[in-house]
């Protein structure tokens, strides 16, 4: 199985930094955001490669995932074998690239990987959302297995006034007692991309982790534009739902770290530092009195 990681965006919310470095290569502690996502994907049993949907404007992404023998050699010669190993690991991850050179939407990005996934179900992991620790994909795979291999989407409750920022799902509870509680599973009855709060069917938002039936690729191939004038993955999933059962797994939104804006990226780094033994002490020391501002 393959995991598709859409990462072709220009990172406009991070300009001017993204003039020099793709936002996916901004670090969360010492690793680029996208390496956390790639490793999460490859951790799942049955996933043998990550397919990154990049744009030709960002060759640094390919460079990052390529071997760097000169740097490795230098580190080895200077007694820094552990660092050399980290550099080697990044260059050896099973990552392939496809391209989306026009910003035509998430659905269009996923479609670019159609020939790579073939007739197998596939994961989609959004490249600016990191789930440290165990990730969400194993739980999604378990829900899919329990329902005949159906597509599964992770959702989390959001503030009802913010539905216009998300894909929103509706469905009937088939596991758990509370649709807002992590672990609940819904059989989907509808999905809608970025609905205004007045028309949103629920406040359960798609959080950037999908396990999808390959049939969605055929639907994406002739999917018209939707919200924001873009080819939306959510709209193709609405059509998939007319053909196949689909499920939503409710997750704890706090399990994931959004790295898409300077503020959320800074918060994501702070949260990583707070949970990283090697960084914790230095992090607090460096913050000094400001550490008291952390609630
Ligand atoms: C995309 C999806 C949306 C989902 C969101 C999660 O939107 O289209 O359904 O809720 O990711 O981050 P975007 O954030 O790219 O506008």
């Amino acid at each position: 199985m393959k995991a598709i990681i859409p990462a072709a965006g220009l990172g406009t919310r991070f300009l001017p930094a993204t003039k020099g470095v793709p936002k996916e290569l901004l670090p969360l502690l010492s690793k680029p955001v996208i390496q956390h996502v790639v490793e999460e994907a490859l951790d799942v049993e049955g996933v043998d490669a990550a397919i990154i949907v990049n744009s030709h404007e960002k060759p640094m992404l390919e460079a990052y995932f390529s071997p760097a023998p000169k740097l490795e050699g230098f580190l080895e010669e200077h007694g820094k074998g552990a660092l050399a190993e980290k550099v080697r690991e990044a260059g050896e991850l099973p990552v392939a690239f496809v391209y989306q050179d026009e910003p035509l939407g998430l659905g269009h990005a996923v479609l670019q990987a159609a020939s790579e996934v073939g007739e197998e179900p596939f994961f989609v992991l959004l490249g600016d959302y990191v789930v440290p620790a165990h990730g969400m994909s194993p739980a999604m795979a378990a829900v899919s297995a329990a329902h005949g291999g159906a597509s599964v989407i992770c959702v989390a409750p959001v503030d009802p006034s913010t539905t216009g920022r998300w894909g929103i799902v509706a469905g009937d509870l088939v596991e758990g007692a509370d649709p807002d509680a992590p672990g609940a599973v819904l059989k989907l009855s509808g999905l809608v991309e970025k609905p205004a709060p007045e028309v949103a069917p629920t406040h359960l938002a798609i959080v950037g982790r999908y396990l999808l039936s390959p049939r969605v690729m055929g639907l994406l191939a002739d999917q018209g534009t939707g919200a924001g004038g873009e080819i939306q993955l959510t709209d193709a999933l609405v059509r998939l739902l007319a053909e196949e059962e689909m499920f939503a797994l409710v997750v704890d939104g706090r399990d994931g770290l959004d790295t898409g804006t300077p503020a959320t990226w800074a918060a994501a780094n702070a949260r990583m530092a707070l949970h990283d033994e090697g960084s914790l002490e230095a992090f607090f020391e460096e913050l000094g009195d400001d550490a008291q501002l952390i609630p």
Side-chain angles (χ1 to χ4, degrees):
M1 269 170 91
K2 309 292 180 221
I4 302 175
I5 304 178
L10 293 177
T12 48
R13 289 180 295 185
F14 261 106
L15 284 168
T18 41
K19 177 174 180 284
V21 60
K23 75 169 177 182
E24 295 78 12
L25 291 184
L26 295 172
L28 271 189
L29 297 187
S30 66
K31 271 186 207 169
V33 167
I34 196 162
Q35 188 173 352
H36 290 278
V37 181
V38 167
E39 289 177 352
E40 179 192 335
L42 294 172
D43 240 16
V44 184
E45 210 186 310
V47 172
D48 58 5
I51 314 297
I52 296 178
V53 186
N54 192 15
S55 108
H56 285 102
E57 298 294 314
K58 304 197 294 187
M60 280 169 79
L61 271 180
E62 278 94 326
Y64 181 78
F65 286 109
S66 302
K70 202 170 160 193
L71 176 58
E72 283 166 33
F74 176 86
L75 292 167
E76 298 282 8
E77 276 165 30
H78 289 77
K80 298 188 169 163
L83 280 180
E85 186 51 34
K86 287 186 181 172
V87 170
R88 192 171 306 118
E89 270 170 29
E92 287 178 351
L93 288 166
V95 170
F97 286 87
V98 295
Y99 298 91
Q100 182 199 33
D101 287 323
E102 302 284 337
L104 299 180
L106 178 60
H108 180 258
V110 169
L111 178 63
Q112 306 316 303
S115 61
E116 305 286 326
V117 304
E119 294 305 312
E120 296 291 321
F122 60 92
F123 285 94
V124 177
L125 297 89
L126 298 193
D128 57 9
Y129 183 71
V130 171
V131 184
H134 46 77
M136 294 170 180
S137 304
M140 295 165 78
V143 173
S144 177
H147 296 281
S151 298
V152 179
I153 300 169
C154 282
V155 299
V158 294
D159 180 332
S161 69
T162 67
T163 55
R165 282 194 227 154
W166 309 90
I168 299 291
V169 307
D172 303 312
L173 208 52
V174 292
E175 259 177 63
D178 173 0
D180 280 4
V185 177
L186 294 108
K187 182 172 177 301
L188 290 183
S189 56
L191 307 90
V192 52
E193 182 67 14
K194 300 193 169 69
E198 312 82 76
V199 295
T202 69
H203 63 290
L204 287 173
I206 301 171
V207 296
R209 293 293 180 272
Y210 310 74
L211 170 53
L212 298 177
S213 149
R215 286 179 81 124
V216 77
M217 288 298 189
L219 299 171
L220 282 170
D222 63 5
Q223 182 62 50
T225 53
E230 296 186 342
I231 298 171
Q232 297 289 355
L233 178 58
T234 304
D235 293 344
L237 296 179
V238 171
R239 292 164 64 207
L240 184 67
L241 187 58
E243 298 179 9
E244 295 181 354
E245 283 188 341
M246 290 172 57
F247 293 83
L249 169 65
V250 180
V251 298
D252 187 337
R254 289 166 304 182
D255 285 350
L257 304 175
D258 176 16
T259 66
T261 71
T264 61
W265 172 78
N269 264 296
R271 281 179 64 192
M272 292 288 279
L274 290 171
H275 291 99
D276 180 69
E277 273 178 30
S279 307
L280 189 61
E281 207 182 313
F283 178 62
F284 273 112
E285 206 175 289
E286 195 61 31
L287 281 176
D289 289 346
D290 285 343
Q292 293 160 17
L293 295 173
I294 298 178

